Amino acid sequence: MSNEINDTPGSLPPEPLRADTPPIKWEREVLEKLVFATIKEQRANRRWSIFYKVALLLLVFFAIASYFEVDLFGGEGDVGRHTALVEIEGDIESQGSGAASVVIPALNKAFADNGSVAVVLHINSPGGSPVQAGMIVDEIRRLRQGYPEKPLYVVVDEICASGGYYIAAAADKIYVNKASIIGSIGVLMDGFGFTGTMEKLGVERRLLTAGANKGFMDPFTPLSEKQKQHAQAMLNEIHQQFIETVRAGRGKRLQETPETFSGSFWTGARAIDMGLADELGSVDSVARDVVKAEDIIDYTQHEGLPERVLKKFGAAVGSGAMKAAVQAGVPAFR
């Protein structure tokens, strides 16, 4: 191979490439692909960005709607023939599913819906506040008068005792499982006394009051006989209210004995024999066999997202402790 420059007459040396020389075909194709790929990636990023923003907005929207219990799907309109369900789970207190402010609106919606054939109150509660239970019972009586064609049935889960049974007694019928716990028709007022311990430790309680009984049920002050009698009279009065509610609700079905209102409790099977309950049954069996409307619609007002989040992070622990301190010495259906 020769390295000599071709100086043949008539031939010209190769012209050097200039900066503005257009690229050859394959280089142009590569550049086009790179440009299109970049544009495609940018578009995809924009689409995902929009998607995430919309998803976040929807999440916030549904969270707010859940908190304020907004019906997003037009639930205010009547639906077809069905059994209306309202649940009471846990203690009957001023907060939670057993609170009158939660149960009463749910019962009103259940009765008011033209499609509801009957209302089933599903109870799983050991009891609680006589005030909250009494408010629910008063509303049940009002609704039964306003909607005489719609029966109210109570279906008991694990337990329906004390305040739970106070509410159940206002129903047309009570259905139980044979192993359910029923009864505990009584009232209690509990607390603690630390006076002996304070004396041993040499601790002096300095409590100033205006009114002889203002320090009543204070755990660090001895309970006088007069105060004890006053508390017992108050408990007896509330207990009598409980007894009258049960008698009015159960009527001739109640097989009353000295043990009926002693505060004791029994199995569901035994409660039927005593007239405290009517038959064995579940929510599904009552809807299917008694109401004859198998479609069940839940009207229970459930907790919103903020409450669930707060409880998840333990915010309810402090409020529970405070509640226990405040409610000490308050009469309760237990």
Side-chain angles (χ1 to χ4, degrees):
M1 181 180 294
S2 174
N3 293 325
E4 295 181 359
I5 297 177
N6 186 3
D7 56 356
T8 306
S11 64
L12 297 175
E15 185 176 339
L17 291 175
R18 297 178 304 184
D20 57 350
T21 302
I24 59 177
K25 183 178 180 181
W26 70 269
E27 291 176 327
R28 184 170 58 251
E29 291 177 351
V30 171
L31 289 174
E32 289 176 351
K33 289 180 180 180
L34 287 174
V35 171
F36 287 131
T38 302
I39 294 174
K40 186 177 181 181
E41 184 178 358
Q42 290 176 346
R43 289 176 177 174
N45 289 338
R46 282 199 299 269
R47 284 196 296 267
W48 280 109
S49 177
I50 294 171
F51 171 79
Y52 287 131
K53 290 177 181 177
V54 171
L56 180 60
L57 288 174
L58 288 174
L59 180 62
V60 172
F61 174 75
F62 281 109
I64 295 174
S66 174
Y67 180 73
F68 290 103
E69 295 180 347
V70 176
D71 193 339
L72 301 175
F73 304 102
E76 292 298 325
D78 297 328
V79 295
R81 189 176 184 277
H82 65 275
T83 298
L85 174 67
V86 177
E87 294 187 328
I88 296 178
E89 178 73 29
D91 292 344
I92 299 169
E93 299 174 332
S94 58
Q95 296 179 350
S97 70
S101 61
V102 174
V103 177
I104 289 176
L107 287 172
N108 275 273
K109 288 182 180 180
F111 273 97
D113 196 308
N114 291 334
S116 65
V117 181
V119 179
V120 172
L121 187 57
H122 188 208
I123 300 179
N124 185 29
S125 172
S129 165
V131 174
Q132 297 295 314
M135 292 169 66
I136 294 172
V137 168
D138 290 343
E139 186 65 14
I140 287 175
R141 289 171 176 168
R142 187 189 72 82
L143 288 169
R144 288 183 63 189
Q145 290 179 355
Y147 300 90
E149 76 285 358
K150 291 186 182 183
L152 173 68
Y153 301 126
V154 162
V155 174
V156 177
D157 201 326
E158 299 285 343
I159 182 171
C160 182
S162 239
Y165 189 77
Y166 187 96
I167 296 172
D172 290 282
K173 280 190 175 183
I174 301 175
Y175 293 86
V176 298
N177 183 277
K178 60 184 178 182
S180 298
I181 301 300
I182 310 295
S184 190
I185 303 173
V187 192
L188 63 80
M189 178 185 292
D190 58 349
F192 297 94
F194 299 99
T195 54
T197 304
M198 292 175 63
E199 291 175 359
K200 291 180 181 179
L201 296 175
V203 179
E204 178 185 1
R205 170 67 164 165
R206 296 176 179 175
L207 175 65
L208 303 177
T209 64
N213 295 306
K214 189 60 180 177
F216 175 56
M217 292 300 289
D218 177 70
F220 303 103
T221 304
L223 187 66
S224 68
E225 186 61 31
K226 183 179 179 180
Q227 290 173 334
K228 188 182 297 184
Q229 291 175 2
H230 174 74
Q232 188 60 55
M234 184 168 58
L235 292 175
N236 291 340
E237 181 182 353
I238 298 174
H239 188 208
Q240 190 59 40
Q241 295 172 2
F242 197 167
I243 293 172
E244 291 173 0
T245 298
V246 174
R247 284 174 174 167
R250 300 304 298 165
K252 295 181 179 180
R253 294 171 292 182
L254 185 65
Q255 305 297 316
E256 191 172 327
T257 68
E259 290 296 311
T260 303
F261 304 120
S262 66
S264 187
F265 48 86
W266 301 271
T267 63
R270 177 65 180 141
I272 294 175
D273 295 336
M274 298 175 65
L276 294 173
D278 295 288
E279 300 175 27
L280 298 178
S282 64
V283 172
D284 290 333
S285 68
V286 170
R288 180 184 64 246
D289 303 329
V290 180
V291 183
K292 307 296 184 182
E294 293 189 49
D295 291 337
I296 300 172
I297 294 182
D298 189 357
Y299 289 80
T300 309
Q301 294 188 3
H302 297 283
E303 282 184 331
L305 181 62
E307 288 85 355
R308 292 196 297 269
V309 172
L310 287 175
K311 286 187 176 181
K312 181 178 179 181
F313 286 95
V317 175
S319 63
M322 181 61 70
K323 187 192 302 179
V326 172
Q327 291 184 347
V330 177
F333 287 146
R334 295 290 190 194

